[in-house]
Amino acid sequence: MSVGPAPFCIRPRGVVRGAVLTLVFAGVLATAAATGALPRQEAAGGARSAPARAGDGATVDSAALSRAAAAAMADGKSGKKAAEEFVSRSGDRWGAVYDKKEYAEFEQALGGAYTGVGLSAGRSPAGGVRVTRVQPGGPAERAGLRAGDRLVSVDGRPVDGLSVSEAVSLLRGDGVPGSAVALRVERGRAVWTETLRRARLATQPVTVRHLDDGAVLIRVAAFTKGAGTRVRDAVRAAPAGAGVLLDLRGNAGGLVAEAAVAASAFLDGGLVATYDVRGEQRAVYAEGGGDTGRPLVALIDGGTMSAAELLTGALQDRGRAVTVGSRTFGKGSVQMPSELPDGSVAELTVGHYRTPAGHAVDGRGITPDLAADERAEERARTVLSGLGGGS
């Protein structure tokens, strides 16, 4: 099961062996990147999502979808394409269909790893594709690429006119470590070509920084495998009495289980969220033993989605954190993977989740306790100091 686009969940290790709760799949990351809500990571490249439709996210009958794909194959047509058309017509806003390669990349990204050159790309103000971040130690950094460089072409194909998702797909290529990719790069007046070798890289979903006022800033970029434990470890390692600024801005979601572990860092057990799967009510709980006394402020914005919204709702509803920033994205539907006759996989909406107080998130988002825009971090630090979490 999943609750979002761009891959993230309490997902099964194999579609045929069961389903898992996902809070974000590659489609959502693509949507966020296209709207400028967050930088597009190579780790999420390649996958496609069904066109967004109005409505609250209709559910799709997986058996009917499988029959439609099988019928298309019997007529010599593409089962995946038939499935995509079926999902598009259904009104399932977050439904998506992946071929085997795309879904393997999806699973790889959920595990916190990907094959690429170690850069994130985004839309430049002029409309082209630019480098937004270079991963330390990756092929791009070793070649001297920097944030702000403009991509002119990838393997000779101009990227102007392509979406960021399409450009990222070119960067990823066949996804084979060691394969070469030629990047034409522009920096100011300089233009040159760099040939890089793709490598298997680990994502950095959680970063920790000690602020000069004694507080600890924990930024969570995505809830991939192990992210929740990293958050919990960072809280346990923080100096006694130090406040925590939990930065969830631009977090497109991830594994529900990881969001629950992160919640456990600040809660002593109890409800994190409820959700339904085709009408059957279920719940997600935090583990006991979390730090319930340390001052906590959570930073959120329009790029805070899915699993990140689940965590935000739990901390806000249970009075554990003051939330600062702007309204979150509003991705609160639950998807479940279903294997199709040709081996492709459909992520279909099967329900929605709610915060501990019963608030629906899908299509609504979460409103922060204190609204802030450009100076959100500064305001959040002021609030944290007022709570006794900084000097």
Side-chain angles (χ1 to χ4, degrees):
M1 289 170 283
S2 60
V3 192
F8 311 128
C9 42
I10 298 176
R11 139 189 321 286
R13 289 327 304 161
V15 182
V16 290
R17 291 203 297 269
V20 220
L21 187 62
T22 328
L23 273 157
V24 151
F25 47 41
V28 172
L29 291 184
T31 301
T35 58
L38 76 165
R40 185 64 155 76
Q41 282 268 23
E42 286 177 281
R48 304 189 310 168
S49 62
R53 290 173 174 266
D56 61 359
T59 58
V60 178
D61 184 330
S62 58
L65 178 63
S66 184
R67 288 194 297 270
M73 293 171 63
D75 290 339
K77 301 177 182 177
S78 168
K80 178 176 181 285
K81 184 175 181 179
E84 288 176 329
E85 293 174 350
F86 189 102
V87 172
S88 179
R89 291 195 303 269
S90 74
D92 185 344
R93 185 182 179 195
W94 298 115
V97 182
Y98 306 90
D99 62 27
K100 289 181 179 179
K101 179 184 175 183
E102 290 171 339
Y103 201 73
E105 292 174 348
F106 176 6
E107 294 281 271
Q108 186 182 71
L110 276 175
Y114 69 102
T115 298
V117 298
L119 62 78
S120 300
R123 182 65 58 194
S124 71
V129 177
R130 66 184 177 90
V131 177
T132 57
R133 179 180 176 275
V134 176
Q135 183 166 330
E141 186 194 52
R142 293 196 296 271
L145 271 65
R146 306 174 191 166
D149 289 345
R150 190 175 77 88
L151 292 181
V152 178
S153 66
V154 177
D155 281 338
R157 180 175 177 183
V159 298
D160 280 353
L162 298 182
S163 67
V164 175
S165 179
E166 289 170 325
V168 167
S169 183
L170 291 178
L171 288 170
R172 289 183 57 84
D174 55 13
V176 176
S179 59
V181 57
L183 307 186
R184 187 72 172 166
V185 182
E186 179 183 283
R187 181 187 300 162
R189 295 182 178 179
V191 182
W192 74 99
T193 299
E194 286 285 351
T195 298
L196 309 179
R197 294 282 175 180
R198 298 181 179 94
R200 185 167 174 79
L201 303 168
T203 58
Q204 298 175 310
V206 180
T207 54
V208 181
R209 182 160 59 96
H210 292 267
L211 305 178
D212 53 15
D213 61 1
V216 177
L217 172 63
I218 302 175
R219 170 162 172 71
V220 188
F223 285 106
T224 51
K225 186 176 180 181
T229 298
R230 290 191 179 104
V231 171
R232 188 170 58 191
D233 290 347
V235 173
R236 290 174 175 172
V244 169
L245 185 58
L246 182 64
D247 191 350
L248 299 174
R249 293 174 297 178
N251 184 320
L255 297 165
V256 176
E258 297 298 335
V261 172
S264 300
F266 306 103
L267 300 171
D268 187 14
L271 187 64
V272 173
T274 58
Y275 64 98
D276 64 284
V277 176
R278 298 193 176 94
E280 179 184 344
Q281 298 301 309
R282 304 182 186 182
V284 178
Y285 294 94
E287 298 175 5
D291 188 331
T292 60
R294 190 184 297 274
L296 175 64
V297 173
L299 269 168
I300 57 176
D301 66 4
T304 304
M305 309 181 194
S306 205
E309 290 177 288
L310 181 147
L311 174 59
T312 299
L315 297 176
Q316 185 183 63
D317 281 6
R318 296 186 58 184
R320 182 60 189 89
V322 176
T323 53
V324 177
S326 53
R327 183 186 293 273
T328 62
F329 185 83
K331 172 64 182 69
S333 58
V334 179
Q335 281 72 44
M336 180 180 291
S338 178
E339 189 169 19
L340 300 177
D342 64 353
S344 57
V345 177
E347 287 267 353
L348 306 175
T349 298
V350 296
H352 299 82
Y353 76 86
R354 292 177 176 270
T355 68
H359 301 303
V361 175
D362 204 50
R364 302 179 184 183
I366 295 174
T367 302
D369 298 313
L370 295 174
D373 198 359
E374 292 85 359
R375 304 177 68 180
E377 184 172 331
E378 179 182 336
R379 186 166 190 187
R381 291 179 66 169
T382 300
V383 171
L384 188 61
S385 179
L387 295 173
S391 60

